Amino acid sequence: MGKFFINGGKALQGEVVLDCAKNSLLPILAGCILVDGKVKLLSVPKYSDVIAMCDILENLGAKVCWLADDLLLDCSCIDKSVICHELASPVRSSVFTLGPLLARLGKAKVAYPGGCDIGLRPIDIHLSSLKQLGCKIIEKNGYIYGEKGDNGNQSVVLKFASVGATENIMMFATLLPGKTQIFNAAKEPEIVDLACFLNKCGACIKGAGSDVITIDGVQSLSGCEYLAIPDRIECGTFLIGAAMTHGQICIKNAIEKHNEVLIEKLKSCGCKIFSDQNGLHLSSPKTLESFGDVETAVYPGFPTDLQPQIVALACVCNGCSLIFENVFESRFNYVGELLKLGGDVKFKSSVCIVRGRKKLYGADVFATDLRGGAALVLAGLASEGYTTVNKIEYIDRGYYNLAEKLTKLGADIKRL
Ligand code: EPZ
């Protein structure tokens, strides 16, 4: 069980470069199943979820190898369509293999996915959409059995703009003859990134980033070289960390547009934020005012993946803040740990109320999930005294070299 040992109270200062987006790389890795050729993904951070997806692909018969920070994959000889519980249950993104396996091999047997404990996380939209597109889907003994049919309709309407379901269906339709349309599609930047990757491999996908995506099926996909977009959640995490520690940072490769709503909230707290040719700059005032309230929503709304981090920020702002979690039904499991650091936080169902405090004080805390764990690190950095964040394997799912990056920014943090 890894831990971070933090001596808080130091301002984050300096420059940082974002890694490639975890939530782009995971569906892109699943998308490699569609590709009858070699793929080279550039500058891939060794997130533990990425490693888990590589294990899944290798188990299907793909060749996977690292060349320094680049990841080389060859799925041309994929011959298995079964993903066992041991490989599927550690990650949510294992379910993203369903569409590609059905498209490429015509059948699939995939155990239920896992993922952070932030709600029930059903996969009904994935499965009902695949059925609408003609697939035979049976759920039995903890597995999803699928078979590609040939008389599906050519459009699906998602009852909720699910990121994963949009990605799964988009990948399935890539090799489906004819035109397929996805209505009420998710619009996250990672969806656009996946479509760009697939189109670079020869797919014909239009409308990604809007709520109607049109896919013209092609015979096959060939390999390509691809660099995924910078991770907007890592970006938001660093922006909030700099704000909480009254620091001053420059994020070299940030895409400002991907964090528009957060940037507005941070400006309302008193931070100065601007972009120039060097990157996205934030400088934080000596005292922070509360941002008031924030509601998580699908993109371009405030991202649910930054909800724990902005609750941590609210703990050190003057005044009262209200945070509404509208995407997942139980994404406040980390709050109990924030209380140990002196946060004045209450929540009831999907609403969280925070009364800002002058100071937080270091304590021994335990990560409950990926983004809740990140929020505890930020709170530890802003606390007076020593904080130990335990169970950091949750954090390793979506942050690579976090302690090294924070140390370069002036934090006193060690990985034990
Ligand atoms: C993706 O999860 C991300 N994970 C999540 O990031 C992110 O929080 C989420 O999208 C929302 O942006 C990856 O991309 C690997 P959803 P996903 O399907 O696809 C419900 C992180 O911290 N739903 O958009 O699972 C679901 O229960 C992780 O990096 C159904 O009801 O998210 C949830 O309430 C956490 N039925 C809501 O929709 C379904 O079939 C959003 O889920 C699918 C989803």
Side-chain angles (χ1 to χ4, degrees), residues 217-289:
V218 294
Q219 282 295 326
S220 67
L221 297 186
S222 44
C224 78
E225 189 169 295
Y226 196 75
L227 175 68
I229 57 172
D231 195 308
R232 62 191 170 101
I233 305 303
E234 185 190 25
C235 182
T237 304
F238 280 120
L239 288 172
I240 292 172
M244 290 175 69
T245 56
H246 311 295
Q248 187 165 349
I249 64 166
C250 170
I251 302 179
K252 302 290 288 175
N253 56 337
I255 299 174
E256 184 171 358
K257 178 162 179 42
H258 289 173
N259 285 101
E260 261 173 358
V261 181
L262 171 65
I263 288 169
E264 285 319 302
K265 293 295 172 190
L266 291 172
K267 284 179 177 173
S268 72
C269 293
C271 293
K272 297 274 174 287
I273 304 175
F274 67 93
S275 275
D276 64 13
Q277 70 283 1
N278 294 322
L280 181 62
H281 300 261
L282 176 144
S283 60
S284 172
K286 278 277 153 281
T287 51
L288 292 158
E289 296 307 319

Side-chain angles (χ1 to χ4, degrees), residues 23 35 100 108 129 160 164 179 189 196 222 226 251 274 319 333 366 412:
N23 291 346
V35 180
S129 304
F160 175 84
K179 184 190 291 288
C196 288
S222 44
Y226 196 75
I251 302 179
F274 67 93
N333 299 339
F366 291 77
D412 181 352

Side-chain angles (χ1 to χ4, degrees), residues 22-23 26 92 96 118 121-126 160-164 188 304-305 327-329 331 370-371:
K22 166 182 86 80
N23 291 346
L26 296 177
R92 174 72 178 179
F96 299 171
I118 51 179
R121 307 193 78 179
I123 54 172
D124 56 322
I125 304 173
H126 296 247
F160 175 84
S162 155
V163 171
E188 273 68 6
T304 175
D305 293 348
V327 177
F328 287 100
E329 67 272 25
R331 195 166 196 169
L370 164 56
R371 307 301 177 183

Side-chain angles (χ1 to χ4, degrees), residues 100-218:
L101 284 172
L102 288 168
R104 179 88 189 275
L105 303 177
K107 61 178 181 170
K109 176 186 172 187
V110 179
Y112 280 112
C116 283
D117 179 10
I118 51 179
L120 272 180
R121 307 193 78 179
I123 54 172
D124 56 322
I125 304 173
H126 296 247
L127 303 186
S128 59
S129 304
L130 287 168
K131 285 178 191 166
Q132 285 173 53
L133 293 175
C135 295
K136 191 168 151 243
I137 302 279
I138 296 170
E139 296 176 74
K140 202 161 150 248
N141 306 111
Y143 278 85
I144 305 137
Y145 295 80
E147 260 176 53
K148 187 162 95 169
D150 47 18
N151 54 355
N153 37 337
Q154 296 287 284
S155 72
V156 292
V157 182
L158 303 186
K159 73 175 181 183
F160 175 84
S162 155
V163 171
T166 301
E167 291 163 342
N168 226 337
I169 301 314
M170 189 164 79
M171 289 190 279
F172 174 69
T174 304
L175 301 181
L176 200 64
K179 184 190 291 288
T180 303
Q181 291 198 294
I182 306 173
F183 294 97
N184 193 29
K187 300 187 271 192
E188 273 68 6
E190 293 78 21
I191 307 264
V192 179
D193 209 15
L194 174 62
C196 288
F197 165 73
L198 293 170
N199 284 342
K200 198 170 179 187
C201 292
C204 184
I205 300 169
K206 297 187 185 70
S210 78
D211 49 14
V212 181
I213 299 177
T214 303
I215 305 107
D216 287 304
V218 294

Side-chain angles (χ1 to χ4, degrees), residues 291-343:
F291 47 81
D293 58 67
V294 67
E295 300 231 20
T296 68
V298 297
Y299 193 83
F302 188 88
T304 175
D305 293 348
L306 286 174
Q307 176 259 94
Q309 297 92 316
I310 204 165
V311 168
L313 169 68
C315 290
V316 294
C317 289
N318 283 340
C320 194
S321 308
L322 274 180
I323 298 93
F324 299 85
E325 173 52 64
N326 299 320
V327 177
F328 287 100
E329 67 272 25
S330 62
R331 195 166 196 169
F332 291 122
N333 299 339
Y334 64 91
V335 166
E337 301 303 307
L338 271 185
L339 300 182
K340 295 180 186 172
L341 295 164

